[in-house]
Amino acid sequence: MSEQVLRNGNVMERSRTRTITQIAMLGALAGVLMNIEFPIPFLAPSFYQLDFSEIPVLVGTFAMGPVAGILIEVVKVLVHLVTMGTVTAGVGDLANFIFGCTFVVPAGLIYRLHHTKSRKHAVLGMAAGTLLTTAAACLMNAFVLLPAYGKAFGMPIEAFIEMGATVNSSVHSLLGFVALIIVPFNLFKYTLTSVIVFFIYKRIRVILKGD
């Protein structure tokens, strides 16, 4: 085995170790940020909380690819479960993982599959991820999450609709709740995340990529 082959093998091993370390660190940071939540009373009832946990996930996805993004999401949810536990038998955490992947995977694919990685491709990717995640949130909230939360807390669906009506008086049904509460909340959340990543990614990329 030549010295060049050994040298290449060492470089690959160091690169793999670096990637694993970065995934773990970004996932841990995302998990901590997931624990820091606050309501947006002008958009949604208080049980919908805003957090910034997708920022490190999206940064990692842009830097290392969609597979890394998925792994960062896994670490994030595990850190959250270990540190905070769950009140929905894991349903909410699974949904968070699905929403996170629905957001970062399309964004990462659109950004990284172009030979020239530009801000335009990053914006297109984040816009696609935001729209897809909002659509997924509508479906999962209507058919999975709200029924699961209702069962966990002993509340009928009508109770959630009433909470939505306190935020937006036009909410009178589950469909209205989805259209007037879930859609604006998710568009706001993921657009805000995208804007923050847009302004910080290039600086953080230098650290992650070492260039």
Side-chain angles (χ1 to χ4, degrees), residues 188-204:
F188 179 83
K189 175 181 178 178
Y190 292 103
T191 299
L192 180 59
T193 297
S194 299
V195 170
I196 294 172
V197 171
F198 179 83
F199 285 108
I200 70 172
Y201 172 66
K202 286 298 183 181
R203 294 181 180 180
I204 296 178

Side-chain angles (χ1 to χ4, degrees), residues 5-25:
V5 172
L6 288 173
R7 187 179 299 111
N8 290 340
N10 290 334
V11 170
M12 291 178 62
E13 183 62 31
R14 286 197 298 271
S15 177
R16 187 180 300 111
T17 301
R18 181 188 181 92
T19 298
I20 293 172
T21 301
Q22 290 176 348
I23 288 172
M25 291 178 62

Side-chain angles (χ1 to χ4, degrees), residues 50-137:
L50 174 68
D51 67 74
F52 295 104
S53 63
E54 299 305 336
I55 292 175
V57 184
L58 185 56
V59 167
T61 303
F62 279 162
M64 295 177 282
V67 173
I70 294 172
L71 294 175
I72 296 170
E73 285 286 350
V74 171
V75 176
K76 178 195 80 173
V77 173
L78 290 177
V79 169
H80 176 72
L81 285 171
V82 169
T83 56
M84 297 295 290
T86 179
V87 296
T88 59
V91 174
D93 302 286
L94 176 61
N96 186 282
F97 171 76
I98 293 172
F99 295 157
C101 290
T102 306
F103 177 56
V104 302
V105 170
L109 285 173
I110 293 173
Y111 177 71
R112 291 184 63 87
L113 287 183
H114 288 85
H115 179 69
T116 303
K117 299 176 179 63
S118 67
R119 289 193 170 190
K120 174 185 175 181
H121 297 137
V123 170
L124 289 174
M126 291 186 291
T130 296
L131 293 176
L132 286 172
T133 308
T134 300

Side-chain angles (χ1 to χ4, degrees), residues 148-159:
Y149 291 148
K151 184 176 182 180
F153 297 105
M155 298 169 59
I157 294 296
E158 289 73 19

Side-chain angles (χ1 to χ4, degrees), residues 14 16 32 38 40 47 55 65 70 88 96 107 112 128 135 139-140 150 159-160 163 181-182 187:
R14 286 197 298 271
R16 187 180 300 111
V32 171
F38 50 92
I40 311 179
F47 58 88
I55 292 175
I70 294 172
T88 59
N96 186 282
R112 291 184 63 87
L139 292 173
M140 287 202 66
F160 296 112
M163 291 181 188
I181 300 295
I182 296 174
L187 287 177

